[in-house]
Amino acid sequence: MPVDVLLGLQWGDEGKGKIVDVITPEYDIVARFQGGPNAGHTIVIDGKKFVLHLIPSGIFHKNTINLIGNGVVIDPITLKREVEQLEAHGVEVRDKMLVSERAHLILPTHKLLDAASEASKGDKKIGSTLRGIGPTYMDKTGRNGLRVGSIKLDDFEERYHFLKAKHTRMLDELYHFEYTIEDNEFLEAIEFMKTLKTCKGEAYLADALASGKKVLAEGAQGTLLDIEFGSYPFVTSSNTIAAGACIGLGVPPQSIGKVFGIFKAYCTRVGSGPFPTELNDDMGEKIRKAGSEFGATTGRPRRTGWLDLPLLKFAVRINGVTDLIMTKADVLSELEEIQVCTKYDTPEGITENAPFDLEHATPIYEKHGCWQEDLTGCRSVEQVPASLKSYIKVVEDYLNVPMTYLSVGPDREQIMEYTS
Ligand code: GDP
Ligand code: IMO
Ligand code: MG
């Protein structure tokens, strides 16, 4: 059976957690393949809100195994907290969760290095979530990192202190950064991790696929934050695109089946970096309010703007998207008119391609009438207003990929299968 992938086509927060939760019953295994606790995936069940940072969003379903893949970077403190919080709400976690031995660990000093690096950049800062993501991936590619499989080794603490000493030298000598380090909480969380089920994720998935099991790979962040193809350097440090699922889980390319590409009916971004269709006006504020656009991980206000079709097309191509999912059209209800970027005016001319330099690209917009109806009660295509159907048709035609789900609210019930 194939590995289907669900990932974000914009700058993250497209609603991945919600949709993974909704489609999980079709899968035996849900697996996170990259990123770490920079992610905040929200799931609303009967009005109760859960935000997951490391645990895959299939965890609320009884019969699904949730794998934290080798490509993920894990903060043991966050993982411990997350498991305990879910258990406190009566969600069974330990029997349904596996952690890859090859996943790298985020140390307390990685978080300090993240903060020190950001502080040193002044107004050029990336706007990192300060969860230690960049420094941990740097240690991974620099071949200095510590992995989950090492925590049971006799010399783990020695290895920890060796890497920590390298970090403190950097904090002192390179960044002149002031800090205190909490070893105890980290080492306690490491002890906690020893009680969790670990596995060779790649072997586990190979056997599962061979025996006919279905796997859903859950992306974090979004295509425009990808280390290779995002708005560099204002990106995260992992491969957020479909190819990242192969690396981050150890599954072969030919095992990939559907690629669900999820996007909002408009656009948001948290942190710094270019955002050509950004609305720095009352309209932007209106959308932020109506959409409750505040970061699920850091609480920062999200920047808002119009839908950007050239960037969506770029994302669709890189990921090989087979199915589109649109969220949050309900947020735009009652606007008189909405705009969509269809082309860019760049120093090289007018283009529908994603420009290399987003800072010097001026969006060219088309205007669309907006739906006036409240969509949050819609559960079937027949209930969808004609103006929204025509907006969706514009997107499908531009991207040449069909829409398969339309989400109309945060709750897991607020969704429908969609066909034009
Ligand atoms: P993720 O990181 O992609 O999982 O997305 P986040 O959870 O960070 O942000 C998406 C936000 O939108 C969350 O607060 C969701 O509960 C909410 N949400 C998801 N889908 C919809 C939708 O269709 N309509 C509305 N109004 N909210 C949604
Ligand atoms: P989910 O999975 C939105 C952004 C940060 C910053 C940049 C780099 O919830 O969609 P990092 O902490 O990775 O060094 O930050 O990436 N960012 C996200 N933005 N959603 C996320 O995750 C994000 N994870 C990181 O705001 O601009
Ligand atoms: Mg999020």
Side-chain angles (χ1 to χ4, degrees):
M1 292 301 276
V3 178
D4 292 345
V5 184
L6 184 143
L7 46 75
L9 299 179
Q10 295 163 320
W11 279 288
D13 303 329
E14 297 89 350
K16 298 175 290 294
K18 175 195 162 157
I19 305 298
V20 168
D21 171 62
V22 167
I23 64 176
T24 288
E26 294 170 35
Y27 296 91
D28 301 290
I29 301 164
V30 176
R32 274 278 305 269
F33 59 90
Q34 46 69 234
N38 48 349
H41 294 183
T42 313
I43 293 146
V44 181
I45 303 172
D46 296 331
K48 206 149 108 192
K49 178 169 145 177
F50 298 90
V51 181
L52 300 172
H53 302 288
L54 279 165
I55 297 176
S57 302
I59 199 70
F60 299 98
H61 296 265
K62 253 204 233 122
N63 301 321
T64 307
I65 296 296
N66 290 264
L67 170 69
I68 302 183
N70 56 277
V72 176
V73 289
I74 300 177
D75 182 340
I77 298 171
T78 309
L79 184 59
K80 176 171 182 280
R81 203 176 296 149
E82 206 162 301
V83 171
E84 289 172 348
Q85 278 172 0
L86 286 175
E87 286 178 344
H89 281 94
V91 182
E92 207 294 305
V93 180
R94 287 168 207 243
D95 284 345
K96 294 185 305 190
M97 188 177 80
L98 293 170
V99 185
S100 168
E101 291 173 346
R102 292 179 190 272
H104 277 245
L105 296 173
I106 301 177
L107 273 47
T109 40
H110 282 131
K111 290 182 268 187
L112 293 170
L113 285 168
D114 213 354
S117 164
E118 284 286 80
S120 74
K121 288 184 172 160
D123 63 4
K124 304 255 177 339
K125 72 174 185 197
I126 289 159
S128 156
T129 60
L130 304 181
R131 298 302 187 266
I133 306 297
T136 306
Y137 279 115
M138 281 164 74
D139 269 338
K140 176 178 178 173
T141 51
R143 296 158 296 176
N144 299 309
L146 293 177
R147 295 182 293 173
V148 170
S150 306
I151 63 177
K152 289 184 181 158
L153 300 179
D154 289 342
D155 65 348
F156 176 74
E157 276 204 36
E158 204 178 302
R159 293 178 190 217
Y160 165 65
H161 287 292
F162 184 80
L163 185 53
K164 187 179 102 177
K166 181 190 125 182
H167 293 162
T168 52
R169 280 198 304 279
M170 291 167 74
L171 289 165
D172 295 336
E173 293 163 26
L174 177 64
Y175 291 117
H176 309 289
F177 194 71
E178 291 202 10
Y179 59 91
T180 46
I181 299 173
E182 280 285 342
D183 281 331
N184 281 352
E185 197 183 6
F186 176 76
L187 293 172
E188 265 171 45
I190 290 289
E191 289 307 309
F192 173 84
M193 278 192 73
K194 289 181 187 168
T195 68
L196 300 176
K197 290 186 183 174
T198 58
C199 71
K200 291 166 183 59
E202 62 288 355
Y204 175 78
L205 289 176
D207 289 344
L209 293 171
S211 67
K213 299 244 160 75
K214 274 193 85 182
V215 178
L216 177 64
E218 172 180 359
Q221 291 79 57
T223 302
L224 304 177
L225 288 170
D226 181 84
I227 183 72
E228 293 286 335
F229 295 101
S231 48
Y232 192 90
F234 300 100
V235 293
T236 191
S237 297
S238 66
N239 287 116
T240 61
I241 60 173
C246 294
I247 305 281
L249 295 174
V251 295
Q254 64 270 34
S255 70
I256 303 297
K258 288 183 188 175
V259 179
F260 294 102
I262 175 165
F263 65 102
K264 286 178 186 171
Y266 49 94
C267 231
T268 63
R269 172 163 207 170
V270 221
S272 332
F275 181 178
T277 62
E278 183 168 15
L279 288 160
N280 286 307
D281 56 11
D282 289 351
M283 181 60 81
E285 188 55 37
K286 200 168 174 174
I287 294 174
R288 179 161 36 250
K289 261 211 188 124
S292 307
E293 295 295 357
F294 296 89
T297 296
T298 59
R300 289 177 291 178
R302 294 177 183 146
R303 299 154 66 192
T304 53
W306 297 123
L307 190 66
D308 187 323
L309 288 178
L311 291 189
L312 266 191
K313 186 167 222 160
F314 169 80
V316 160
R317 283 184 177 174
I318 281 179
N319 291 304
V321 171
T322 59
D323 296 68
L324 293 170
I325 301 173
M326 187 162 90
T327 59
K328 303 194 96 159
D330 54 291
V331 170
L332 302 180
S333 281
E334 295 179 27
L335 293 187
E336 249 166 51
E337 177 183 86
I338 46 180
Q339 300 194 39
V340 185
C341 168
T342 53
K343 291 189 183 82
Y344 275 111
D345 190 357
T346 71
E348 289 84 42
I350 307 269
T351 177
E352 283 190 6
N353 292 324
F356 172 78
D357 180 6
L358 285 177
E359 302 275 10
H360 297 101
T362 309
I364 299 174
Y365 292 104
E366 271 178 15
K367 291 185 176 164
H368 285 268
C370 194
W371 41 99
Q372 300 304 305
E373 299 82 348
D374 176 3
L375 304 177
T376 55
C378 293
R379 295 290 179 271
S380 68
V381 180
E382 296 72 50
Q383 296 170 308
V384 174
S387 49
L388 174 54
K389 283 184 180 158
S390 87
Y391 185 71
I392 291 174
K393 191 81 179 60
V394 166
V395 175
E396 287 181 322
D397 289 349
Y398 193 101
L399 303 176
N400 205 17
V401 182
M403 190 77 66
T404 53
Y405 286 98
L406 178 64
S407 169
V408 291
D411 198 275
R412 55 158 50 153
E413 303 295 328
Q414 291 175 304
I415 188 151
M416 72 194 80
E417 287 186 24
Y418 192 89
T419 33
S420 270

